Amino acid sequence: MRRFLKTIGARAIVQLQTIGHMFIFLMNALYFIFAPPFKFRLLLRQIRFFGNKSMLVIILTGSFTGMVLALQLFYILRKFGSEALLGSGIALSLLRELGPVLAALMITGRAGSALTAEIGMMRITEQIDALTAMALNPMRYLIVPNIVAALIAFPLLVAIFDLIGIFGGYLVGVKLLGISSGTYFSLMEDYVVMEDIMVGLYKSLSFGLIVSWICCYKGFYTGYGAEGVSKSTTEAVVLCSIMILIWDYFLGSVLLIG
Amino acid sequence: MIEITDLHKSFDSQKVLNGVNLKIADKEIIIIMGTSGCGKSVLIKHIIGLLKPDQGSIVIDGVDITELDTKELDTIRERLGVLFQGGALFDSLTVYGNIAFPLREKTKLSKQEIRERVIHALEDVGLKGIEKKYPAELSGGMKKRVAFARALISEPAIVLFDEPTTGLDPVITSSIHELIKGTHKKYGYTGVIISHEVPRIFEITDKIAMLYNGVIVESGTPEEIQNSMNPIIRQFITGSHEGPIEY
């Protein structure tokens, strides 16, 4: 029993140390965001990295999410004779919840994993050491551009996801299920308020920070060899996915109650 | 002048450096040789300041770098050039971008001046005309030579070579040795070379030190080392599998 408690205790201490280390890493990165010189060229490259890697998957998942939502919501709303609310239902679901969460999960799988693998490879091939040996701070060159790029790219990709999703819902609702185009959009205009858009924006910004932070951290402190990079990449994707869902709940609660 | 005194380093329970003492004079080339995994790369990482020792000091030109913070350490690093074992070229940059990188980031040279220096550095290492290639398109020997050019582009006072010829064929190995010899003559840097290429590399060095079990067991001129009666050095130079060196 004592041995068991000792093992649990030791693991808890290691986990707490890791969490502490992750927060120090984040604080360090946040400091360098505001400390010149700024690396705009690297920032643009990383925005392109997030956008380029994730655009196709965002378009695909966005459109099918909107289409499935239209089918399911139409089925439910018809029971209450409220099919006219289909457009606003889809828009609210996407803007407040599904858009930010699903887009963040997709970007994590596509660009986040690539980011961890890339930084991890730089670590094991001594490229990060080479930067340090040149008296250049790897935080400024590798981590900060990725975090800032994610803060810019996530809201944009989420906006594209939402737009494509609403259009996907339109295709199914209007072209397939026969709701009039005017009803689909006019009620959406009535029920969707600025606050709903802002909720999605806050969520996408925070998911951008979470994903870039975790993926950069896992790559920066990767293990040895290809196995180490592979393990870090898997850990980054799993941890990001869990954190996105947990943070979504907490942020959702605060924003709804607030 | 680099002076390493009583340097200790452990990773978890594994003791890697166990009291290293070594003096490297200005403008001399020293070879640190030793068996695989004996801590040669760990020693070089301490000189760069990538690792902090558990005990001991590394004094470079009168400054103990083990007591410096990152900013102060960077002023020392600006005088260093490092050739990493695998080259450590940036995958996302071309050969030109890689060599120009330290100049672009650390100096205020104009584009034209940087271009001239990069082209000149590529000529020095015998790789004219490959500026637009990416590291993935280069052979192992070419990567090492590009990394060599990058390490020397800022004309550093101290150059650290971490196994500059490991994995290369004998012809390219000789050409890298010649490059070290030629550039040392031209720029007059202090060179610290970690190498297994014994006794071939002896011809380019002033001093050799043997690292074994975390300590420098002997150091001296190439002649002294070649004539040494220390069984560890004898076994290492002859490559015999019989002797005190444990595998």
Side-chain angles (χ1 to χ4, degrees):
Chain A
M1 184 65 183
R2 205 172 154 184
R3 203 174 186 180
F4 174 74
L5 287 173
K6 210 174 167 183
T7 312
I8 297 283
R11 283 193 184 173
I13 289 170
V14 170
Q15 290 305 319
L16 279 173
Q17 280 175 335
T18 308
I19 292 168
H21 197 223
M22 284 182 75
F23 271 98
I24 291 169
F25 180 84
L26 178 65
M27 290 304 125
N28 210 354
L30 293 178
Y31 166 76
F32 279 105
I33 288 178
F34 301 104
F38 304 110
K39 300 291 164 194
F40 289 111
R41 190 179 280 202
L42 286 173
L43 174 63
L44 288 175
R45 208 191 98 187
Q46 291 314 112
I47 292 172
R48 186 171 169 268
F49 170 85
F50 277 104
N52 193 24
K53 288 261 180 214
S54 313
M55 188 60 86
L56 185 65
V57 81
I58 287 292
I59 290 171
L60 273 173
T61 48
S63 58
F64 280 97
T65 303
M67 286 156 79
V68 169
L69 257 182
L71 282 176
Q72 295 297 336
L73 271 180
F74 184 81
Y75 173 74
I76 296 165
L77 291 171
R78 197 170 57 182
K79 289 188 175 182
F80 305 101
S82 314
E83 298 96 319
L85 291 171
L86 184 70
S88 46
I90 290 172
L92 285 172
S93 307
L94 283 169
L95 287 169
R96 294 186 66 100
E97 191 63 49
L98 290 173
V101 172
L102 288 179
L105 290 172
M106 290 301 134
I107 303 168
T108 300
R110 192 72 185 89
S113 58
L115 183 61
T116 305
E118 191 179 322
I119 296 177
M121 281 306 289
M122 288 187 76
R123 167 64 73 194
I124 66 167
T125 55
E126 296 181 308
Q127 292 176 52
I128 295 177
D129 286 346
L131 272 176
T132 312
M134 288 176 201
L136 301 169
N137 192 321
M139 222 44 165
R140 194 190 298 285
Y141 284 82
L142 285 179
I143 310 305
V144 167
N146 278 305
I147 290 180
V148 179
L151 289 174
I152 295 168
F154 267 65
L156 295 174
L157 288 166
V158 168
I160 292 168
F161 187 100
D162 292 343
L163 196 74
I164 300 273
I166 290 169
F167 183 69
Y170 170 85
L171 281 181
V172 171
V174 176
K175 301 291 177 190
L176 199 70
L177 302 172
I179 292 172
S180 82
S181 171
T183 311
Y184 186 83
F185 284 113
S186 65
L187 285 178
M188 196 186 294
E189 210 180 323
D190 291 341
Y191 286 105
V192 176
V193 292
M194 197 58 194
E195 192 201 324
D196 300 316
I197 295 168
M198 292 312 286
V199 166
L201 179 70
Y202 297 144
K203 284 187 175 180
S204 57
L205 278 171
S206 54
F207 293 155
L209 183 67
I210 288 170
V211 171
S212 55
W213 167 35
I214 292 173
C215 290
C216 286
Y217 177 84
K218 288 286 177 185
F220 202 78
Y221 293 105
T222 192
Y224 297 105
E227 197 186 337
V229 177
S230 151
K231 197 176 160 211
S232 298
T233 308
T234 310
E235 281 176 2
V237 172
V238 172
L239 187 57
C240 283
S241 306
I242 293 169
M243 286 303 295
I244 285 167
L245 295 172
I246 293 174
W247 184 248
D248 181 52
Y249 173 76
F250 281 109
L251 195 62
S253 308
V254 170
L255 292 172
L256 271 177
I257 293 164
Chain B
M1 172 97 164
I2 303 171
E3 194 171 353
I4 300 165
T5 311
D6 196 28
L7 200 72
H8 289 255
K9 181 71 182 178
S10 298
F11 294 101
D12 297 325
S13 59
Q14 194 190 356
K15 194 110 184 149
V16 180
L17 301 179
N18 202 12
V20 172
N21 290 293
L22 189 64
K23 277 185 186 173
I24 304 164
D26 277 343
K27 299 182 191 294
E28 84 172 355
I29 291 191
I30 182 169
I31 288 166
I32 299 170
M33 60 182 194
T35 53
S36 297
C38 74
K40 302 185 297 297
S41 295
V42 171
L43 178 59
I44 229 170
K45 282 187 177 172
H46 276 90
I47 301 174
I48 307 165
L50 293 172
L51 290 173
K52 286 266 179 205
D54 300 332
Q55 188 187 318
S57 64
I58 300 169
V59 177
I60 299 179
D61 295 336
V63 182
D64 183 358
I65 65 160
T66 61
E67 286 176 1
L68 301 181
D69 62 28
T70 313
K71 212 171 179 179
E72 292 165 330
L73 206 49
D74 279 347
T75 59
I76 300 283
R77 285 174 180 148
E78 279 169 8
R79 299 172 51 223
L80 297 180
V82 186
L83 172 58
F84 285 90
Q85 205 168 335
L89 296 174
F90 302 123
D91 299 324
S92 56
L93 300 179
T94 60
V95 166
Y96 183 89
N98 264 286
I99 301 173
F101 193 75
L103 297 180
R104 281 179 180 158
E105 299 298 330
K106 300 301 288 186
T107 69
K108 285 179 179 164
L109 292 175
S110 68
K111 273 187 177 179
Q112 184 57 31
E113 284 169 309
I114 290 175
R115 168 154 281 280
E116 280 167 14
R117 282 179 70 167
V118 172
I119 300 294
H120 187 66
L122 276 171
E123 278 172 8
D124 269 356
V125 296
L127 290 175
K128 202 178 166 188
I130 64 153
E131 302 93 286
K132 288 180 183 169
K133 285 191 184 290
Y134 281 88
E137 299 172 273
L138 306 178
S139 69
M142 287 165 96
K143 276 183 197 168
K144 282 272 168 81
R145 282 190 280 170
V146 172
F148 195 103
R150 187 179 68 182
L152 292 182
I153 194 76
S154 311
E155 297 180 8
I158 300 165
V159 185
L160 309 168
F161 301 89
D162 190 359
E163 302 197 16
T165 54
T166 299
L168 302 179
D169 67 57
V171 177
I172 295 177
T173 298
S174 291
S175 76
I176 299 268
H177 289 173
E178 283 306 311
L179 265 177
I180 296 173
K181 207 170 159 181
T183 51
H184 179 252
K185 201 173 170 186
K186 191 172 173 183
Y187 299 109
Y189 52 77
T190 305
V192 182
I193 307 172
I194 280 175
S195 180
H196 296 293
E197 299 292 331
V198 290
R200 293 175 60 199
I201 202 168
F202 286 5
E203 63 192 57
I204 65 162
T205 186
D206 305 305
K207 189 177 169 186
I208 295 157
M210 171 83 189
L211 185 66
Y212 182 68
N213 272 353
V215 290
I216 300 289
V217 289
E218 194 168 326
S219 63
T221 63
E223 292 74 31
E224 284 168 346
I225 292 294
Q226 275 183 310
N227 297 325
S228 169
M229 296 312 288
N230 186 321
I232 294 167
I233 291 178
R234 294 250 41 89
Q235 186 189 353
F236 191 76
I237 292 174
T238 56
S240 167
H241 66 277
E242 283 176 7
I245 296 176
E246 294 162 10
Y247 288 95

